[in-house]
């Protein structure tokens, strides 16, 4: 199985901050990397697929980059509704593993 | 608009078999490239992919749970069923089904997800 390691596990941030979350697969996955946002008590929501393609309807302050074994999710200016948990997931090969999550908390 | 909804028991006894149904609308599981996945999440923990099924009946399972899982589809009813045998308290969590979309170069992703159903395993 491909292990997905996210960092940090949690981050205390403020509205307006620029935030970057990293995701490192245990082996190369080309650009087969998706990002999801989960608000407490809700189902995950797709933000970015294929490492850098923004899903329709997702605000442009979200962006993704990377390939191989290093990926990032960046939120350019945090909004109150962005305080949530973010998961990366590889779609390169089965089993389609997720990272452990990064929780953004209000400072 | 694509929607999915999970249904099944909220409480399961240890060693019993769990049967969950995902009922969906807005797409057909007979359309090329389309699939449905099951993902679960123990309380306060990370997401765990369990299984998926594609329009052509291609099925994939988590290797760690493969012996316990079966996924099937009923295209006429717009349903996907997941069964998990020999349930244990560690299987407690929220179970989600999700639509699989396959984009260019075989990139696929889970979108949207159902609301999830909480399953508790306890005697």
């Amino acid at each position: 199985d491909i292990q997905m390691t996210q960092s940090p596990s949690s981050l205390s941030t403020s509205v307006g901050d620029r935030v970057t979350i990293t995701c490192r697969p245990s082996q190369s996955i080309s650009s087969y990397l998706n990002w999801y946002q989960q608000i407490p008590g809700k189902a995950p929501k797709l933000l970015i697929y294929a490492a850098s393609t923004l899903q329709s309807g997702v605000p442009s302050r979200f962006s993704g980059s990377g390939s191989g074994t290093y990926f990032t999710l960046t939120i350019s200016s945090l909004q109150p509704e962005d305080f949530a948990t973010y998961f990366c997931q590889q779609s390169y090969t089965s089993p389609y593993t997720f990272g452990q999550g990064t929780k953004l908390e209000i400072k | 608009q694509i929607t999915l909804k999970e249904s099944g028991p909220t409480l399961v006894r240890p060693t019993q078999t769990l049967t969950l149904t995902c009922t969906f609308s807005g797409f057909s599981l007979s359309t090329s490239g389309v699939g449905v996945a099951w993902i679960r999440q123990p309380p306060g923990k990370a997401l765990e992919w369990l299984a998926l099924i594609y329009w052509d009946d291609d099925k994939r399972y988590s290797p760690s749970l493969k012996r316990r899982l079966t996924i099937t589809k009923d295209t006429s009813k717009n349903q996907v069923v997941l069964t998990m045998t020999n349930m244990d308290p560690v299987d407690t969590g929220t179970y989600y089904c999700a639509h699989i979309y396959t984009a260019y170069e075989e990139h696929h992703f889970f979108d949207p997800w159902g609301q999830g159903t909480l399953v508790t395993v306890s005697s």
Side-chain angles (χ1 to χ4, degrees), chain B residues 54-107:
Chain B
Y54 281 109
W55 85 101
D56 59 356
D57 212 38
D58 181 16
K59 304 172 186 178
R60 313 281 174 89
Y61 295 99
S62 168
S64 63
L65 294 168
K66 183 173 184 175
R67 290 179 303 156
R68 299 172 54 203
L69 293 174
T70 303
I71 190 169
T72 60
K73 63 180 174 68
D74 187 328
T75 305
S76 64
K77 292 184 179 179
N78 281 353
Q79 291 182 332
V80 171
V81 174
L82 182 75
T83 61
M84 181 180 291
T85 62
N86 194 24
M87 293 293 284
D88 183 272
V90 300
D91 296 313
T92 293
T94 298
Y95 287 71
Y96 298 97
C97 63
H99 168 262
I100 303 172
Y101 182 80
T102 303
Y104 59 93
E105 296 178 351
E106 300 301 312
H107 287 279

Side-chain angles (χ1 to χ4, degrees), chain A residues 1 31-32 34 36 38 42-44 46 49-50 53 55 87 89 91 94-96 98-100, chain B residues 39 41 45-49 52 60-61 63 96 103-111 113-114:
Chain A
D1 299 6
S31 61
Y32 290 82
N34 305 320
Y36 300 87
Q38 187 176 32
K42 300 293 186 181
L46 177 72
Y49 65 94
T53 302
Q55 174 65 336
F87 294 94
Q89 177 242 336
S91 61
S94 177
Y96 301 108
F98 290 86
Q100 82 278 16
Chain B
I39 304 104
Q41 186 173 39
K45 296 189 177 180
L47 300 164
E48 180 183 15
W49 173 78
L52 63 76
R60 313 281 174 89
Y61 295 99
Y96 298 97
Y104 59 93
E105 296 178 351
E106 300 301 312
H107 287 279
H108 73 262
F109 45 84
F110 306 145
D111 181 64
W113 297 48

